[in-house]
């Protein structure tokens, strides 16, 4: 089943939103397979957002993301990448629907609380960047058969 990289950004950690954000993924039925608090280096963040290196906001983005600890996670489940993005909402919180994380907790695109991989390929790249293979837990949730009709 599919895995996605979800990270609570430094503003989300500072604002006490780790619990509420984790709850949204848990409540939906996704399974947590890795989690850690990490203050990321400039090099690490430039690698993470390498596809945005030409953007005018890149320097500010790397400074924001390095300004404090990030709660890095891997969540697993059916269509986890696309559904993770839907749970996050649009990049610009003013355009995010209420009921999404950004639509409920953020206002400014430069302080949008949470990251989610945008494709299965980038999820694989990001999981490998943020976690060692042995940090990924393989386990069967006791809820599995109550969340999925068929495995
Ligand atoms: P992530 O999940 O963080 O990757 O966001 P995203 O995939 O919804 O958007 P994208 O990858 O295009 O941009 C990465 C991050 O850069 C966004 O989440 C914002 O925090 C920031 N960002 C994007 N566009 C702008 C912008 O126009 N201005 C500023 N200040 N920040 C931006
Ligand atoms: Mg992105």
């Amino acid at each position: 089943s599919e895995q996605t990289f979800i990270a609570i950004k430094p503003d989300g950690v500072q604002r006490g939103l780790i619990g509420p954000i984790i709850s949204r993924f848990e409540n939906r039925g996704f399974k947590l397979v890795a989690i850690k608090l990490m203050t990321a280096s400039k090099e690490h963040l430039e690698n993470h957002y390498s596809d945005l290196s030409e953007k005018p906001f890149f320097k500010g983005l790397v400074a924001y993301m390095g300004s404090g600890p990030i709660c890095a996670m891997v969540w697993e489940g059916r269509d986890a990448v696309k559904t993770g993005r839907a749970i996050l909402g649009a990049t610009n919180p003013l355009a995010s629907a209420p009921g999404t994380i950004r639509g409920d907790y953020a206002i400014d695109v430069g302080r949008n609380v949470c990251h989610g991989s945008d494709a299965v390929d980038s999820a694989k790249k990001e999981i490998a960047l943020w976690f060692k293979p042995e940090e990924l837990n393989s386990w069967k949730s006791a809820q599995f058969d109550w969340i999925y009709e068929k495995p």
Side-chain angles (χ1 to χ4, degrees), residues 9 49 52 57 61 85 91 102 109-110 112 115-116:
K9 298 181 179 186
Y49 280 129
L52 300 175
F57 56 81
L61 174 62
R85 296 281 290 186
T91 303
R102 289 164 175 169
V109 69
N112 62 357
H115 162 84

Side-chain angles (χ1 to χ4, degrees), residues 5 7 10 36-49 61-72 129-130:
F5 176 69
K36 65 181 166 190
L37 212 59
M38 178 172 155
T39 306
S41 70
K42 186 166 167 282
E43 293 66 34
H44 185 91
L45 293 165
E46 284 172 352
N47 188 349
H48 173 75
Y49 280 129
L61 174 62
V62 169
Y64 156 48
M65 291 293 286
S67 63
I70 286 171
C71 182
L129 175 66
W130 288 81

Side-chain angles (χ1 to χ4, degrees), residues 47-84:
N47 188 349
H48 173 75
Y49 280 129
S50 58
D51 56 325
L52 300 175
S53 61
E54 304 304 315
K55 300 282 185 192
F57 56 81
F58 185 68
K59 220 173 156 229
L61 174 62
V62 169
Y64 156 48
M65 291 293 286
S67 63
I70 286 171
C71 182
M73 300 176 281
V74 178
W75 287 90
E76 185 180 300
R78 188 176 299 159
D79 252 335
V81 171
K82 195 172 119 232
T83 311

Side-chain angles (χ1 to χ4, degrees), residues 16 20 23 25 30 41 43 48 88 97 114 126:
S23 288
F25 285 88
F30 288 109
S41 70
E43 293 66 34
H48 173 75
L88 253 59
C114 198
E126 291 168 4

